């Protein structure tokens, strides 16, 4: 799928509910901010480190920012922003052609990856019957931004990394629950795939 076709699909997904749902339905807005675990990029590098003693993988996040518009008691549409950084370092033995000896080459891969996904949620509970609880399943589709930056002590041996075309597509799918302590403030948790497997955070609705 080309980037142009991807943008057209996102625009259609964003405006479709306004044609399907009657305008008189009361809209409810929710904003959530959370943090997830684990950092999936760091976890993947840890899996393929080949037991290199000089290998380290660190990162921050993922952080999750969500906006949701409840356009129907059992349906909502919104925008999710998921962002995480990573910093991978390892040592690879290479040939120094000037000295004619094998030397350690310090390699670093770092970057930040941010996805903007249009998100559809299916809500299992009617808000008038369960004002404090909200259980939902969601699917998100969008675009990801951010490329890894590779560097090494011996620039001639800097590794290359070519990402496939579909790497710009953002996808997420989670099962979530919210509990509101007051009419406007609550907490949420989600389990699924969205740059992390588990999320926890705060929610506000208005």
């Amino acid at each position: 799928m080309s980037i142009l076709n991807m943008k057209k699909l996102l625009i259609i997904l964003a405006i479709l509910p306004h044609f399907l749902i009657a305008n008189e339905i009361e809209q409810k807005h929710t904003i959530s901010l959370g943090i997830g675990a684990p950092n999936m990029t760091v976890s993947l590098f840890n899996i393929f480190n080949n037991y290199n003693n000089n290998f380290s993988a660190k990162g921050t996040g993922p952080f999750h920012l969500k906006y949701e518009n409840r356009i129907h008691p059992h349906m909502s549409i919104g925008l999710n922003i998921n962002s995480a950084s990573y910093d991978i370092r390892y040592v690879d033995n290479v040939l120094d052609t000037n000295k004619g000896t094998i030397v350690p080459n310090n390699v670093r891969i770092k970057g930040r990856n941010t996805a903007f996904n249009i998100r559809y949620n299916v809500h299992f509970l009617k808000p008038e019957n369960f004002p404090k609880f909200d259980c939902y399943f969601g699917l998100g589709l969008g675009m990801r931004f951010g490329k890894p930056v590779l560097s090494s002590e011996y620039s001639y041996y800097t590794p290359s990394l070519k990402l496939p075309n579909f790497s710009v597509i953002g996808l997420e799918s989670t099962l979530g629950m919210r509990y509101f302590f007051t009419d406007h403030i609550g907490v949420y948790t989600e389990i699924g795939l969205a740059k992390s497997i588990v999320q926890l955070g705060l929610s506000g609705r208005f």
Side-chain angles (χ1 to χ4, degrees), residues 66-192:
K66 309 166 184 290
Y67 165 74
E68 177 185 304
N69 184 1
R70 191 83 168 257
I71 57 177
H72 185 275
H74 295 293
M75 184 184 299
S76 65
I77 183 174
L79 174 67
N80 284 13
I81 303 175
N82 310 309
S83 183
S85 68
Y86 52 91
D87 188 349
I88 315 301
R89 306 185 189 203
Y90 64 92
V91 177
D92 192 17
N93 292 326
V94 298
L95 174 64
D96 187 333
T97 55
N98 293 325
K99 298 179 180 179
T101 59
I102 301 297
V103 295
N105 182 34
N106 295 298
V107 180
R108 186 179 186 185
I109 306 172
K110 65 176 181 177
R112 174 171 290 278
N113 190 289
T114 302
F116 295 82
N117 295 333
I118 292 176
R119 165 97 172 209
Y120 281 92
N121 286 339
V122 176
H123 299 265
F124 304 121
L125 305 175
K126 287 187 176 181
E128 60 267 27
N129 297 333
F130 299 89
K132 291 184 177 294
F133 285 96
D134 182 20
C135 298
Y136 54 92
F137 170 76
L139 290 172
L141 175 65
M143 299 188 69
R144 298 194 302 174
F145 300 89
K147 294 183 179 180
V149 178
L150 292 82
S151 61
S152 67
E153 186 176 352
Y154 292 87
S155 58
Y156 181 77
Y157 291 103
T158 300
S160 60
L161 180 62
K162 184 177 181 180
L163 299 176
N165 292 332
F166 62 82
S167 64
V168 300
I169 299 176
L171 295 171
E172 62 178 282
S173 176
T174 63
L175 182 66
M177 183 184 74
R178 299 189 186 104
Y179 176 77
F180 288 91
F181 303 109
T182 71
D183 290 340
H184 303 288
I185 303 298
V187 294
Y188 89 92
T189 182
E190 291 186 17
I191 299 176

Side-chain angles (χ1 to χ4, degrees), residues 23-40:
N23 291 331
E24 64 269 14
I25 295 177
E26 182 181 357
Q27 297 182 351
K28 294 186 179 295
H29 307 275
T30 302
I31 295 177
S32 300
L33 177 63
I35 187 170
N39 185 313
M40 297 297 289

